[in-house]
Every structure is written in C-alpha cells, then in structure tokens.
Amino acid sequence: MKKLATISVLLLISIFVLSGCGAQAPTQSNNQAPVEINYEDGTYRGAFLDGGEMQVNVQFTLEDNVVT
C-alpha cells in the first residue's frame, strides 16, 4: 500500500511539472512584459529509483512547447 501511495505522489508531481512546459515566466515587479519560455523539442525522460524495489519512469515528447 505504501508503494502505491508513493507512486501516486510521483505521478501527480510529474503531471504538475509537465503541465508547466508551455507556461510564461511571471512578470517583473517593474511591469516589464513576461518573458516567454521556449523548450527545445524532443523526447524527455526521467526516473526515480530508491535503491530497492521501487522504480518510476516518465517519458514525454515536446513539440512546439506542447506535450504530446
């Protein structure tokens, strides 16, 4: 049960991180326009290993700042 909870938390964190890929940076305090962040297109991978039995892998493709 503990493993399922840990995996669920990691997947939720991954969703939050991935959903920010097309976001704009916050505006500066001196009212400057926001800076658009552009990420390089490609396939991105990440992994979590605890040195034991648990392993979580995440992979996604980014095209024009959109996760596909």
Side-chain angles (χ1 to χ4, degrees), residues 36-57:
E36 187 173 325
I37 300 172
N38 290 307
Y39 295 91
E40 188 174 327
D41 289 349
T43 300
Y44 292 83
R45 295 180 183 147
F48 169 79
L49 306 168
D50 71 349
E53 296 179 11
M54 188 172 301
Q55 179 176 342
V56 178
N57 296 301

Side-chain angles (χ1 to χ4, degrees), residues 7-24 39 58 60 62 65 67:
I7 291 172
S8 298
V9 168
L10 290 172
L11 290 175
L12 284 173
I13 291 170
S14 299
I15 291 169
F16 288 123
V17 170
L18 297 177
S19 66
C21 287
Q24 292 183 339
Y39 295 91
V58 177
F60 66 95
L62 188 66
N65 283 335
V67 176

